Amino acid sequence: MTGGVRPLSVAVVGAGPAGVYAAGLLTELAPGTRVDVVERLPTPYGLVRYGVSPDHPKIRRIVDSLHGMLDHPDVRLLANVEVGTDMTIDELRSVYDAVVVATGAQRDARLDVPGVDLPGSFGAADVVSWYDSHPEVPREWPLHAETVAVVGAGNVALDVTRMLIRHARTLERTDLSENVRRGLAANAVRDIHVFARRGPVDVRFSPGELRELGEQEDVDVVVDPAQIVRDEHTERMVRQLAPKRRVVRTFERWAAVPAADRRASRRVHLHFHRAPAAILGTDRVEGLRTEITAPDGFGHAEPTGELEDHPVQAVYRAVGYVGSPVPGVPFDPVRHVVPHTRGAVLDGDGVPVPGLYATGWIKRGPVGLIGATRSDAKETVETLLAADTGQRRPGSGAADAILRERGVPVVDWEGWLRIDAAEQRLGAASGRERTKIVDRSELVALGAGVTV
Ligand SMILES: Cc1cc2nc3c(=O)[nH]c(=O)nc-3n(C[C@H](O)[C@H](O)[C@H](O)COP(=O)(O)OP(=O)(O)OC[C@H]3O[C@@H](n4cnc5c(N)ncnc54)[C@H](O)[C@@H]3O)c2cc1C
């Protein structure tokens, strides 16, 4: 920026970690930059609030550092404002000097097998949203199944399995809303079967999260020793990569437990080389059909045509998240991401769209931990700052005028602090740090001071 030019005014779309890190980096790398963080939900923090498991309070603590970045004199929160509905991208682009899209990924990737739409077949994103008290999913969740299948071999599959197999009494200290607490207390589950398409060394579980599965009160983890016999590929990976070694050893430890020593009332069964082939049932889920796969020696799984049926009453599909397009922003419908070069959004001809940037899961795809969204935001912010021509648009006042004229009840930073305080008061009444408020109209009433 040249001397005398008014500071940049930037809109960040999405108050998940990627958007908040982008805002924080903008104020850090270009002091004086004014940033408005626009968020469709009445609350900030994206998947840190509505994805990370309630029994992972240490990870939720990342909120403390995100809080510090939003609580900055040059940063404003405009929550309860959906870009594409309440305001268009073109309006934002006409008002701010630059717009950063950080809308993340909220939906389940589709599992293309027959029966996937039967009642009792659920996407992981939906049940995660339920137990994390997301305002846009039904309050009640059907937990009548005694035997459940989870399809997938990543950390989300582990989160869902752990949250569904845990006894509700062990979640007493967490921030679950009251409806979730009641729902989990009535959970009829006895057995959860987790199905991985590939072998034990090629799952995506992190070692720590996997070990945690075996630390749950009154839960046994069952592994068939015949399914984890080491082949040459496994030996090679275990020799070279410490995390793989830890994961495989954890499976081997569980496989070595004699059946007579398993006395828990709930069990998790891990199955390897089983790919989902069909969800069975006529009016509702009655089973899962898997196809046995064979290792090809390089970490891939080849179909064998051999099928196995597992009687279950519910199937949870944890096969990945996907991002959704934001109207007016170029979108790659195959990879479900915004096409970009170093964070600069590209149009259909591969040419950067002036003043439009992307960061986080909508830029990279839904992989990687929260920490990775910071380095990602840094790349985007550096690209944005390098492209600053010094030309200035009207800034946030014009955006406020549009929202006021449309009567959008904006939850600003003070509004969020009121919600935050109300949740803490609600929790304190039961000796907890926080109890989440789930009802959207209650959140908006607290945050924007209006009844919707
Ligand atoms: C179930 C689950 C558990 C996880 N657990 C962990 C964990 O334990 N540890 C860890 O490090 N990582 C974890 N992650 C990964 C972590 O959540 C992501 O790395 C991170 O949240 C991605 O950040 P983001 O800001 O790109 O997206 P998000 O967190 O999804 O944030 C995007 C934000 O944009 C908003 N938005 C979307 N569309 C619009 C719009 N049109 N207008 C305005 N706002 C919009 C959304 O409401 C949301 O608040 C987990 C992910 C999932 C799915």
Side-chain angles (χ1 to χ4, degrees):
M1 194 183 78
T2 49
V5 177
R6 195 153 54 78
L8 269 170
S9 159
V10 179
V12 173
V13 185
V20 178
Y21 281 130
L25 284 160
L26 279 163
T27 56
E28 186 186 318
L29 300 178
T33 301
R34 310 296 297 264
V35 188
D36 283 355
V37 183
V38 186
E39 165 59 51
R40 62 179 288 273
L41 294 172
T43 52
Y45 308 132
L47 285 170
V48 181
R49 183 176 160 96
Y50 291 125
V52 170
S53 228
D55 62 347
H56 281 168
K58 275 204 200 122
I59 295 162
R60 285 268 179 82
R61 288 260 170 262
I62 291 174
V63 159
D64 296 344
S65 64
L66 300 179
H67 175 108
M69 287 172 221
L70 285 176
D71 188 21
H72 184 286
D74 291 331
V75 177
R76 296 195 314 162
L77 176 69
L78 304 179
N80 201 38
V81 178
E82 178 159 350
V83 173
T85 308
D86 297 314
M87 236 181 144
T88 66
I89 272 286
D90 285 345
E91 283 168 340
L92 287 178
R93 290 183 62 213
S94 67
V95 166
Y96 295 92
D97 304 318
V99 176
V100 181
V101 179
T103 48
Q106 271 88 43
R107 290 182 300 126
D108 283 293
R110 187 157 170 89
L111 176 67
D112 248 333
V113 297
V116 72
D117 295 319
L118 279 171
S121 159
F122 306 106
D126 291 335
V127 72
V128 166
S129 296
W130 173 73
Y131 66 58
D132 261 338
S133 310
H134 194 292
E136 291 171 347
V137 295
R139 264 344 102 72
E140 309 302 324
W141 195 268
L143 289 173
H144 319 302
E146 286 194 11
T147 312
V148 170
V150 172
V151 175
N155 287 339
V156 175
L158 283 182
D159 280 350
V160 169
T161 302
R162 202 181 58 253
M163 281 301 293
L164 294 183
I165 204 71
R166 285 187 77 136
H167 288 278
R169 62 177 179 269
T170 68
L171 293 163
E172 201 37 52
R173 312 296 305 164
T174 61
D175 63 10
L176 301 181
S177 56
E178 288 309 324
N179 60 303
V180 176
R181 217 170 272 287
R182 274 196 310 275
L184 289 174
N187 189 357
V189 75
R190 287 277 172 268
D191 290 274
I192 298 187
H193 295 264
V194 182
F195 295 92
R197 204 162 41 85
R198 298 189 289 171
V201 82
D202 296 307
V203 293
R204 298 231 172 106
F205 304 144
S206 339
E209 291 225 2
L210 181 66
R211 215 180 36 244
E212 195 185 350
L213 193 60
E215 292 164 358
Q216 303 310 312
E217 182 189 317
D218 191 32
V219 175
D220 282 327
V221 184
V222 184
V223 174
D224 176 357
Q227 288 189 14
I228 59 162
V229 175
R230 292 189 184 197
D231 60 5
E232 239 178 75
H233 163 71
T234 308
E235 291 289 6
R236 196 168 50 243
M237 301 293 276
V238 159
R239 239 185 349 260
Q240 290 172 359
L241 303 166
K244 298 276 183 199
R245 190 155 56 240
R246 288 168 61 203
V247 162
V248 168
R249 284 189 181 154
T250 300
F251 294 140
E252 290 173 344
R253 199 161 38 79
W254 287 331
V257 176
D261 288 357
R262 291 190 215 114
R263 298 198 185 86
S265 71
R266 294 182 175 184
R267 287 156 297 276
V268 174
H269 311 256
L270 302 179
H271 304 267
F272 301 95
H273 288 297
R274 302 292 187 276
I279 297 175
L280 310 173
T282 37
D283 320 323
R284 55 178 185 79
V285 170
E286 288 166 22
L288 176 73
R289 175 165 296 158
T290 58
E291 176 171 7
I292 299 179
T293 65
D296 70 351
F298 300 98
H300 305 295
E302 301 286 351
T304 63
E306 200 182 329
L307 302 174
E308 264 181 5
D309 288 353
H310 311 266
V312 297
Q313 302 93 49
V315 175
Y316 288 87
R317 301 169 265 112
V319 295
Y321 275 52
V322 289
S324 303
V326 177
V329 178
F331 193 70
D332 175 341
V334 178
R335 294 185 55 231
H336 300 276
V337 292
V338 171
H340 74 97
T341 173
R342 298 190 67 77
V345 175
L346 302 175
D347 67 14
D349 299 323
V351 177
V353 180
L356 193 57
Y357 300 87
T359 194
W361 273 17
I362 196 66
K363 166 189 176 191
R364 255 182 313 123
V367 281
L369 297 176
I370 297 161
T373 62
R374 190 176 188 278
S375 32
D376 194 25
K378 188 157 183 283
E379 180 189 71
T380 297
V381 166
E382 284 171 352
T383 302
L384 184 160
L385 294 175
D388 181 17
T389 58
Q391 194 199 336
R392 294 292 177 257
R393 296 198 170 75
S396 53
D400 292 348
I402 295 175
L403 291 170
R404 231 185 353 260
E405 190 196 317
R406 292 183 187 157
V408 179
V410 177
V411 177
D412 61 11
W413 183 239
E414 274 64 41
W416 159 247
L417 294 180
R418 282 194 296 277
I419 295 173
D420 196 29
E423 289 191 339
Q424 290 180 39
R425 274 198 306 276
L426 201 58
S430 322
R432 301 179 187 119
E433 197 176 317
R434 170 188 305 272
T435 293
K436 274 190 188 165
I437 296 172
V438 64
D439 187 67
R440 186 171 190 138
S441 50
E442 195 179 340
L443 291 167
V444 174
L446 277 163
V450 294
T451 311
V452 287

